[in-house]
């Protein structure tokens, strides 16, 4: 049987989504799943909101760049290139703490084996319609009261299981990654289940 496809929507600037994505890549080694990445955008999600802190608004202003580059790459090469591109972007953003900008995008594109000319997409709205469509595809099953990451996975009865999160730190590895996956599916796949949450007491760690 083919592995179960797990679809995750990410914004490259979100540290929590980065941790979740690395966890899912661990899950691939211990469960029969294949992760497929898609682009969503915190800049799109929060567009027009006036109640955001100034620092977060500034981040969202520059946050258009990486998602535009990612969606441009997907349109040119197909969805399968997003995994390598996300890894290249996320490593530079979250581990190396490099500033968002054309140099970062071009280096990430080159590492992923893609045309560095796509870095120019960061400063144009040429692909914004496609970005919004991708964003909406991820968000529709979970509503607009959440952010990134969003995960979709087919349930055993054929019903789509879609949820925000999990928000975790540090990255679960090996058998711990598999146990968390089993638990998340059990909870999220329960009909009528909506929320399980507690206050975050740690900053995201990428070790």
């Amino acid at each position: 049987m083919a592995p179960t496809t797990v679809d995750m929507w990410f914004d490259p600037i979100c540290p929590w989504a980065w941790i979740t994505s690395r966890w899912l890549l661990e899950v691939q080694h211990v469960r029969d799943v294949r992760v497929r990445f898609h682009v969503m955008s915190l800049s799109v999600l929060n567009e027009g909101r006036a109640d955001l802190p100034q620092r977060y608004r500034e981040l969202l202003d520059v946050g258009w760049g990486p998602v535009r580059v990612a969606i441009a790459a997907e349109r040119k090469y197909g969805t399968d290139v997003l995994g390598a591109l996300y890894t290249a972007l996320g490593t530079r953003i979250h581990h190396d703490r490099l500033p968002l900008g054309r140099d970062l995008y071009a280096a990430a594109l080159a590492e992923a084996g893609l045309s560095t000319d796509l870095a120019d997409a960061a400063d144009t709205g040429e692909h914004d319609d496609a970005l919004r469509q991708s964003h909406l595809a991820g968000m529709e099953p979970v509503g607009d009261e959440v952010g990134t990451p969003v995960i979709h996975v087919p349930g055993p009865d054929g019903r789509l299981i879609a949820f925000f999160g999990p928000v975790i730190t540090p990255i679960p590895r090996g058998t711990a990654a598999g146990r968390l996956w089993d638990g998340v599916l059990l909870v999220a796949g329960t009909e009528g289940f909506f929320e399980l949450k507690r206050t975050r007491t740690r900053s995201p760690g990428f070790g």
Side-chain angles (χ1 to χ4, degrees), residues 104-141:
L104 185 152
Y105 310 144
L109 288 161
E111 181 180 316
L114 310 177
S115 170
T116 57
D117 290 344
L118 291 172
D120 295 336
D123 298 319
T124 77
E126 179 183 356
H127 303 292
D128 282 2
D129 286 346
L131 173 61
R132 294 178 192 278
Q133 290 170 10
S134 181
H135 177 89
L136 183 62
M139 296 297 289
E140 266 192 324

Side-chain angles (χ1 to χ4, degrees), residues 133-151:
Q133 290 170 10
S134 181
H135 177 89
L136 183 62
M139 296 297 289
E140 266 192 324
V142 295
D144 58 5
E145 297 178 357
V146 301
T148 179
V150 167
I151 293 173

Side-chain angles (χ1 to χ4, degrees), residues 132-180:
R132 294 178 192 278
Q133 290 170 10
S134 181
H135 177 89
L136 183 62
M139 296 297 289
E140 266 192 324
V142 295
D144 58 5
E145 297 178 357
V146 301
T148 179
V150 167
I151 293 173
H152 297 183
V153 59
D157 58 358
R159 180 175 52 90
L160 178 68
I161 300 173
F163 54 91
F164 161 71
V167 176
I168 47 174
T169 192
I171 303 163
R173 305 287 186 182
T175 57
R179 286 197 303 269
L180 178 59

Side-chain angles (χ1 to χ4, degrees), residues 32-102:
D32 193 19
V33 302
R34 179 179 72 91
V35 181
R36 183 168 58 188
F37 291 104
H38 307 270
V39 186
M40 67 171 292
S41 170
L42 292 173
S43 300
V44 170
L45 181 66
N46 292 284
E47 205 169 15
R49 288 187 57 185
D51 59 335
L52 300 173
Q54 179 64 26
R55 183 177 179 184
Y56 191 53
R57 272 203 305 271
E58 292 171 355
L59 177 62
L60 295 178
D61 286 344
V62 296
W64 286 98
V67 290
R68 283 171 167 169
V69 170
I71 206 73
E74 181 181 24
R75 296 195 75 191
K76 182 176 178 65
Y77 294 103
T79 301
D80 287 347
V81 304
L82 287 177
L85 180 57
Y86 183 24
T87 293
L89 288 167
T91 299
R92 287 164 173 79
I93 294 169
H94 302 297
H95 292 265
D96 301 337
R97 299 185 179 276
L98 298 176
L100 298 179
R102 195 184 192 288

